[in-house]
Amino acid sequence: MADRAPGRPSRGFATRAIHAGQHPDPGTGAVVVPLVTAATFMQKSPGQPGDYEYSRTGNPTRDALEANMASLEGGAGAVACASGMAAIVMAFDLVETGGRVVATNDSYGGTYRVGENVLRRRGLDFTWVDTSDTAATIRELERGAAMLFLETPTNPMLRIADLRTLADAARAHGALVVVDNTFMSPYFQRPLEMGADIVVHSSTKYLNGHSDGVGGILVARDPGHLERFRYLQNAAGAILSPFDSWLLLRSSKTLALRMERHDHNAREVARMLDGHRNVAAVHYPGLPAHPGHELSRRQMSGFGGMLSFDVGTMDRARRVMEALRVFHIAESLGGVESLANHPATMTHASIPEPMRRAMGIGDGLVRLSVGVEDIADLLADLEDALGTLG
Ligand SMILES: Cc1ncc(COP(=O)(O)O)c(C=O)c1O
């Protein structure tokens, strides 16, 4: 399905999520894209492949997913990778040796780890900055940068970066703009429409939505960047498997429905936590007191399902988390089931403690990925768990 029929405006998000790249199979009429597990494809004559040759280079199920993702983010094309980290490393490959990356300081811990412990050794220079501070970020861009890497909202503090203003400033200073859009998904935020060059996702999260597949997506506006990513993916091999591609195509069909419910449930949970006697602080952009609330309303169409809250100490955080019965203690996020994570000892343990503290990630911070269960059960679970603190 083309995004646009002649004479009609572009089709809506939920329609594209179900139909873009997902055409009925011409051979059988099957309305679900076939899962093509073939590693290799027959050639009629030596050296004369058809559309496909070898599944690292190209695979019909992965191609369908890439068309679907490109349509949802509004890019020229997409590349589906083995994990979110594989996608992020491919994006950093656009920076030449000696180049400087200005990046969000409370990005996902793995982004910090690959920058500092892997790519710095290859000659890339990283400056980690609070990108919710627009003036400070622009000052860093003025010092010269090849790339601005933004995560917004951030993980786990839910800080908001001003995408339009920072993309304009980066362009003026000759830096590419990459946005990790994992937390919002294209349903709530489309960075390419606000001037970003490249969007990355850990599709392990909302795009998959069922916690049953690790993957990553890169979407680019510029066909030259896409060509580079495809070359690199074929050369280095970090492809998404046909089965994981097929799962993501299935998940995409319910992305709009799931995101609405995640957002609805998280708003209710944030409101409840915000007034609770045992909670010192709640970080959720949907709360009017959140410093990025107004900006979120301008650049996102929802606030999403992620939030964090502080109960003061490691011991109190542990007691609350161990008392949860519907929320599971687990890393990751964005699945239909609600999860609770302790950033200081789990997802963000690889960030040096002084830096973690400077970012506001204290030992009492708990991050929630609010799922799509009945909201009454989620609220009761949190009430009971917080009640154990007295
Ligand atoms: C915002 C964000 N970006 C990137 C990643 C890395 O993705 P993956 O675990 O699929 O490699 C994660 C993983 O938690 C994440 O939360």
Side-chain angles (χ1 to χ4, degrees):
M1 186 198 78
D3 274 3
R4 190 193 298 263
R8 292 213 176 266
S10 182
R11 287 190 168 100
F13 187 94
T15 308
R16 284 182 286 128
I18 292 168
H19 294 287
Q22 311 218 49
H23 311 290
D25 179 46
T28 62
V31 297
V32 173
V33 170
L35 165 54
V36 179
T37 57
T40 191
F41 297 83
M42 192 188 77
Q43 305 192 10
K44 285 212 172 77
S45 182
Q48 290 186 10
D51 290 345
Y52 296 96
E53 186 177 357
Y54 184 61
S55 269
R56 169 159 42 75
T57 317
N59 171 279
T61 314
R62 198 170 81 229
D63 271 6
L65 171 67
E66 290 171 348
N68 185 263
M69 292 289 134
S71 169
L72 297 189
E73 284 287 4
V79 176
C81 311
S83 68
M85 288 317 304
I88 288 170
V89 168
M90 293 224 307
F92 284 144
D93 187 70
L94 294 176
V95 181
E96 301 296 335
T97 303
R100 179 166 176 261
V101 179
V102 173
T104 302
N105 63 353
D106 63 335
S107 294
Y108 170 62
T111 304
Y112 176 83
R113 177 174 55 199
V114 80
E116 287 301 314
N117 301 348
V118 179
L119 299 175
R120 195 177 275 285
R121 281 185 15 237
R122 306 236 175 106
L124 268 62
D125 183 23
F126 286 83
T127 302
W128 306 94
V129 56
D130 174 1
T131 49
S132 69
D133 184 338
T134 305
T137 310
I138 292 175
R139 276 199 300 280
E140 290 298 340
L141 291 170
E142 283 166 354
R143 290 178 51 220
M147 181 179 283
L148 173 65
F149 184 96
L150 298 172
E151 193 178 313
T152 179
T154 62
N155 177 9
M157 299 308 292
L158 284 300
R159 295 197 177 97
I160 310 292
D162 185 334
L163 284 173
R164 268 200 186 85
T165 305
L166 290 177
D168 286 350
R171 179 163 305 107
H173 292 93
L176 288 173
V177 181
V178 179
V179 178
D180 184 334
N181 201 25
T182 299
F183 267 34
M184 281 296 107
S185 89
Y187 184 66
F188 283 140
Q189 177 169 273
R190 283 181 296 283
L192 299 183
E193 291 174 3
M194 290 179 271
D197 297 288
I198 292 153
V199 166
V200 293
H201 279 277
S202 168
S203 61
T204 319
K205 312 301 183 313
Y206 288 104
L207 293 179
N208 171 294
H210 298 71
S211 306
D212 57 8
V214 172
I217 301 288
L218 276 163
V219 188
R221 282 203 302 191
D222 177 349
H225 291 151
L226 280 166
E227 205 175 307
R228 173 75 199 148
F229 294 145
R230 291 202 174 110
Y231 182 87
L232 190 64
Q233 185 177 49
N234 185 45
I239 53 162
L240 191 67
S241 75
F243 181 63
D244 286 314
S245 301
W246 183 83
L247 275 180
L248 272 184
L249 280 169
R250 183 214 49 182
S251 294
S252 188
K253 295 175 184 175
T254 57
L255 181 63
L257 294 172
R258 288 185 286 108
M259 292 312 294
E260 287 290 346
R261 178 67 168 247
H262 284 293
D263 179 83
H264 169 265
N265 283 358
R267 288 181 199 219
E268 296 279 320
V269 167
R271 212 171 291 138
M272 183 277 256
L273 291 173
D274 196 33
H276 201 283
R277 67 187 184 285
N278 286 329
V279 175
V282 183
H283 309 288
Y284 184 63
L287 291 174
H290 184 284
H293 180 68
E294 285 309 319
L295 178 56
S296 301
R297 293 173 70 94
R298 288 203 297 278
Q299 68 183 25
M300 290 142 52
S301 54
F303 301 113
M306 297 301 300
L307 60 88
S308 59
F309 65 99
D310 208 310
V311 289
T313 64
M314 175 92 77
D315 178 57
R316 282 164 64 89
R318 187 177 297 122
R319 276 161 57 199
V320 171
M321 290 177 73
E322 285 177 358
L324 290 167
R325 293 292 170 262
V326 180
F327 283 81
H328 298 309
I329 302 175
E331 300 211 0
S332 203
L333 59 106
V336 290
E337 64 287 301
S338 291
L339 301 179
N341 165 67
H342 184 241
T345 55
M346 295 169 67
T347 45
H348 291 66
S350 60
I351 298 178
E353 191 179 335
M355 189 171 167
R356 213 165 58 221
R357 289 201 184 282
M359 284 162 14
I361 307 175
D363 290 345
L365 192 74
V366 178
R367 187 189 77 182
L368 297 181
S369 171
V370 182
V372 302
E373 298 94 336
D374 290 297
I375 184 60
D377 293 327
L378 299 181
L379 295 176
D381 196 31
L382 286 162
E383 275 291 358
D384 292 347
L386 284 163
T388 62
L389 298 180

PDB file of all heavy atoms in Angstrom, residues 327-341:
ATOM      1  N   PHE A 327       3.420  -5.946  38.919  1.00  0.00           N
ATOM      2  CA  PHE A 327       4.665  -5.498  38.269  1.00  0.00           C
ATOM      3  C   PHE A 327       5.736  -6.572  38.521  1.00  0.00           C
ATOM      4  O   PHE A 327       5.859  -7.062  39.647  1.00  0.00           O
ATOM      5  CB  PHE A 327       5.160  -4.195  38.906  1.00  0.00           C
ATOM      6  CG  PHE A 327       4.416  -2.964  38.472  1.00  0.00           C
ATOM      7  CD1 PHE A 327       3.192  -2.630  39.040  1.00  0.00           C
ATOM      8  CD2 PHE A 327       4.955  -2.122  37.495  1.00  0.00           C
ATOM      9  CE1 PHE A 327       2.512  -1.483  38.640  1.00  0.00           C
ATOM     10  CE2 PHE A 327       4.279  -0.968  37.108  1.00  0.00           C
ATOM     11  CZ  PHE A 327       3.056  -0.648  37.680  1.00  0.00           C
ATOM     12  N   HIS A 328       6.500  -6.926  37.502  1.00  0.00           N
ATOM     13  CA  HIS A 328       7.652  -7.819  37.689  1.00  0.00           C
ATOM     14  C   HIS A 328       8.921  -6.981  37.795  1.00  0.00           C
ATOM     15  O   HIS A 328       9.058  -5.973  37.096  1.00  0.00           O
ATOM     16  CB  HIS A 328       7.850  -8.747  36.477  1.00  0.00           C
ATOM     17  CG  HIS A 328       6.707  -9.659  36.230  1.00  0.00           C
ATOM     18  ND1 HIS A 328       6.148 -10.448  37.203  1.00  0.00           N
ATOM     19  CD2 HIS A 328       6.016  -9.929  35.095  1.00  0.00           C
ATOM     20  CE1 HIS A 328       5.163 -11.159  36.678  1.00  0.00           C
ATOM     21  NE2 HIS A 328       5.055 -10.855  35.407  1.00  0.00           N
ATOM     22  N   ILE A 329       9.859  -7.433  38.633  1.00  0.00           N
ATOM     23  CA  ILE A 329      11.179  -6.787  38.660  1.00  0.00           C
ATOM     24  C   ILE A 329      11.946  -7.317  37.458  1.00  0.00           C
ATOM     25  O   ILE A 329      12.208  -8.524  37.371  1.00  0.00           O
ATOM     26  CB  ILE A 329      11.953  -7.118  39.948  1.00  0.00           C
ATOM     27  CG1 ILE A 329      11.162  -6.695  41.188  1.00  0.00           C
ATOM     28  CG2 ILE A 329      13.338  -6.460  39.921  1.00  0.00           C
ATOM     29  CD1 ILE A 329      11.812  -7.095  42.505  1.00  0.00           C
ATOM     30  N   ALA A 330      12.260  -6.445  36.505  1.00  0.00           N
ATOM     31  CA  ALA A 330      12.995  -6.882  35.309  1.00  0.00           C
ATOM     32  C   ALA A 330      13.558  -5.663  34.597  1.00  0.00           C
ATOM     33  O   ALA A 330      13.020  -4.557  34.702  1.00  0.00           O
ATOM     34  CB  ALA A 330      12.079  -7.649  34.360  1.00  0.00           C
ATOM     35  N   GLU A 331      14.661  -5.897  33.851  1.00  0.00           N
ATOM     36  CA  GLU A 331      15.169  -4.858  32.953  1.00  0.00           C
ATOM     37  C   GLU A 331      14.214  -4.804  31.767  1.00  0.00           C
ATOM     38  O   GLU A 331      13.292  -5.586  31.667  1.00  0.00           O
ATOM     39  CB  GLU A 331      16.593  -5.213  32.508  1.00  0.00           C
ATOM     40  CG  GLU A 331      17.536  -5.324  33.698  1.00  0.00           C
ATOM     41  CD  GLU A 331      18.964  -4.938  33.384  1.00  0.00           C
ATOM     42  OE1 GLU A 331      19.246  -4.581  32.229  1.00  0.00           O
ATOM     43  OE2 GLU A 331      19.792  -4.989  34.309  1.00  0.00           O
ATOM     44  N   SER A 332      14.508  -3.893  30.870  1.00  0.00           N
ATOM     45  CA  SER A 332      13.715  -3.688  29.656  1.00  0.00           C
ATOM     46  C   SER A 332      12.409  -2.961  29.960  1.00  0.00           C
ATOM     47  O   SER A 332      12.114  -2.606  31.119  1.00  0.00           O
ATOM     48  CB  SER A 332      13.455  -4.979  28.903  1.00  0.00           C
ATOM     49  OG  SER A 332      13.177  -4.667  27.545  1.00  0.00           O
ATOM     50  N   LEU A 333      11.638  -2.716  28.928  1.00  0.00           N
ATOM     51  CA  LEU A 333      10.453  -1.857  29.025  1.00  0.00           C
ATOM     52  C   LEU A 333       9.645  -1.985  27.749  1.00  0.00           C
ATOM     53  O   LEU A 333      10.100  -2.609  26.784  1.00  0.00           O
ATOM     54  CB  LEU A 333      10.916  -0.397  29.213  1.00  0.00           C
ATOM     55  CG  LEU A 333      11.803   0.169  28.106  1.00  0.00           C
ATOM     56  CD1 LEU A 333      11.035   1.160  27.241  1.00  0.00           C
ATOM     57  CD2 LEU A 333      13.024   0.859  28.674  1.00  0.00           C
ATOM     58  N   GLY A 334       8.455  -1.395  27.786  1.00  0.00           N
ATOM     59  CA  GLY A 334       7.675  -1.269  26.549  1.00  0.00           C
ATOM     60  C   GLY A 334       6.836  -2.476  26.193  1.00  0.00           C
ATOM     61  O   GLY A 334       6.190  -2.489  25.146  1.00  0.00           O
ATOM     62  N   GLY A 335       6.821  -3.509  27.039  1.00  0.00           N
ATOM     63  CA  GLY A 335       5.979  -4.670  26.765  1.00  0.00           C
ATOM     64  C   GLY A 335       4.602  -4.478  27.377  1.00  0.00           C
ATOM     65  O   GLY A 335       4.368  -3.556  28.176  1.00  0.00           O
ATOM     66  N   VAL A 336       3.696  -5.378  27.037  1.00  0.00           N
ATOM     67  CA  VAL A 336       2.326  -5.274  27.558  1.00  0.00           C
ATOM     68  C   VAL A 336       2.286  -5.472  29.071  1.00  0.00           C
ATOM     69  O   VAL A 336       1.366  -4.998  29.741  1.00  0.00           O
ATOM     70  CB  VAL A 336       1.384  -6.288  26.870  1.00  0.00           C
ATOM     71  CG1 VAL A 336       1.132  -5.887  25.429  1.00  0.00           C
ATOM     72  CG2 VAL A 336       1.932  -7.710  26.943  1.00  0.00           C
ATOM     73  N   GLU A 337       3.295  -6.174  29.628  1.00  0.00           N
ATOM     74  CA  GLU A 337       3.301  -6.405  31.075  1.00  0.00           C
ATOM     75  C   GLU A 337       4.055  -5.281  31.783  1.00  0.00           C
ATOM     76  O   GLU A 337       5.043  -4.759  31.277  1.00  0.00           O
ATOM     77  CB  GLU A 337       3.932  -7.772  31.417  1.00  0.00           C
ATOM     78  CG  GLU A 337       5.388  -7.933  31.055  1.00  0.00           C
ATOM     79  CD  GLU A 337       5.628  -8.077  29.571  1.00  0.00           C
ATOM     80  OE1 GLU A 337       5.077  -9.016  28.986  1.00  0.00           O
ATOM     81  OE2 GLU A 337       6.362  -7.248  28.994  1.00  0.00           O
ATOM     82  N   SER A 338       3.585  -4.929  32.992  1.00  0.00           N
ATOM     83  CA  SER A 338       4.228  -3.852  33.742  1.00  0.00           C
ATOM     84  C   SER A 338       5.499  -4.352  34.407  1.00  0.00           C
ATOM     85  O   SER A 338       5.525  -5.452  34.978  1.00  0.00           O
ATOM     86  CB  SER A 338       3.269  -3.333  34.814  1.00  0.00           C
ATOM     87  OG  SER A 338       2.198  -2.662  34.199  1.00  0.00           O
ATOM     88  N   LEU A 339       6.560  -3.525  34.321  1.00  0.00           N
ATOM     89  CA  LEU A 339       7.853  -3.900  34.886  1.00  0.00           C
ATOM     90  C   LEU A 339       8.369  -2.799  35.813  1.00  0.00           C
ATOM     91  O   LEU A 339       8.117  -1.616  35.583  1.00  0.00           O
ATOM     92  CB  LEU A 339       8.893  -4.130  33.777  1.00  0.00           C
ATOM     93  CG  LEU A 339       8.583  -5.217  32.742  1.00  0.00           C
ATOM     94  CD1 LEU A 339       9.704  -5.294  31.702  1.00  0.00           C
ATOM     95  CD2 LEU A 339       8.382  -6.579  33.399  1.00  0.00           C
ATOM     96  N   ALA A 340       9.119  -3.222  36.822  1.00  0.00           N
ATOM     97  CA  ALA A 340       9.786  -2.271  37.720  1.00  0.00           C
ATOM     98  C   ALA A 340      11.284  -2.540  37.662  1.00  0.00           C
ATOM     99  O   ALA A 340      11.719  -3.698  37.680  1.00  0.00           O
ATOM    100  CB  ALA A 340       9.270  -2.452  39.144  1.00  0.00           C
ATOM    101  N   ASN A 341      12.052  -1.468  37.606  1.00  0.00           N
ATOM    102  CA  ASN A 341      13.501  -1.570  37.439  1.00  0.00           C
ATOM    103  C   ASN A 341      14.174  -0.628  38.437  1.00  0.00           C
ATOM    104  O   ASN A 341      13.649   0.453  38.725  1.00  0.00           O
ATOM    105  CB  ASN A 341      13.821  -1.175  35.988  1.00  0.00           C
ATOM    106  CG  ASN A 341      15.281  -0.871  35.745  1.00  0.00           C
ATOM    107  OD1 ASN A 341      16.129  -1.739  35.814  1.00  0.00           O
ATOM    108  ND2 ASN A 341      15.578   0.384  35.451  1.00  0.00           N
TER     109      ASN A 341
END
